[in-house]
Amino acid sequence: MSIILSFTNYDMLNPPEFSGIENYVTLANDPVFWKALGNNFIMAIVGIPISMLISLALAVMLNQGLRGNSIFRTAVFLPHVTATVAIAMIWLWIYSPGGNGLFNIVLSFFGLPNQAFLASPSQALASVILVTIWQGIGLKMMIYLASLQGIDQQLYEAADIDGASAVQKFFRITIPMLKPVTFFILVTSIVGNFQTFDLIYNLTNGGPANSTTVITYQIYQTAFQQFRMGLATAQSVVLLVVLVVLTIVSRKVTGGKDD
């Protein structure tokens, strides 16, 4: 239905009128739309690899059976199950550009000047990416941990007999055995990144100067603030195509297979 509506002019009040590829031409010439799509790609390219690496490192550490594992797992996983609105309120205080923001309090302690963070076009996107990394680590860590615990220990015992070092075991056994779950985490992270809305809505509203706007926020504005449902569905179709392409690329990169 969205694909059909993407070829119409539709304001949700009057019947849709066929307009051909007009909506797609509009998107092709819309710098804000391309800015939003670019911001999504930056968030994915920067945030997802960092989040996955930190999650894997934490999972490997927890898999060693250290004391206090359950408390640490709960603490790291808690942001994932916390309402995004609550998380946004916390980070708005942390990023507060005045002297009351936690980050600026720390900076002033070291004699550094206050930063604008979310109020700065050059810093806002990086600040949002930091929040997405922090929020997403918990789930990825738990998935990696479950996968690590499912690896056959006989593989490591055989490697010990052959005199393999810890580094060799990690790169020759652990990493290959984690390929399927790495593919799963990568794809779900990409989809989640391109569906980011509530965090942007509560933290920045896409500002300042569209520096943090993302494609789902643009779809929301186009559909429910401008009432241009035809154009919004065209944006959604573009998003679908992007996600399909990125899923295929992710499968090639991680060595994912049908089985």
Side-chain angles (χ1 to χ4, degrees), residues 151-179:
I151 297 177
D152 190 348
Q153 293 302 307
Q154 291 182 353
L155 296 174
Y156 294 106
E157 294 171 0
D160 288 332
I161 295 174
D162 291 336
S165 66
V167 174
Q168 288 175 323
K169 287 188 290 184
F170 181 76
F171 285 101
R172 299 290 181 87
I173 299 176
T174 305
I175 294 299
M177 295 299 291
L178 291 178
K179 272 189 176 181

Side-chain angles (χ1 to χ4, degrees), residues 2 27 33 215 219 231-241:
S2 293
L27 290 184
F33 174 76
I215 190 168
I219 293 172
L231 182 60
T233 52
Q235 293 172 332
S236 300
V237 172
V238 173
L239 174 59
L240 172 63
V241 172

Side-chain angles (χ1 to χ4, degrees), residues 91 95 103 125-135:
W91 282 91
Y95 283 139
F103 276 173
L125 186 60
S127 301
V128 172
I129 291 174
L130 178 59
V131 180
T132 61
I133 293 173
W134 173 80
Q135 187 180 18

Side-chain angles (χ1 to χ4, degrees), residues 30-44:
D30 184 1
V32 177
F33 174 76
W34 291 108
K35 174 69 173 178
L37 193 59
N39 286 340
N40 271 121
F41 273 102
I42 293 173
M43 291 173 64

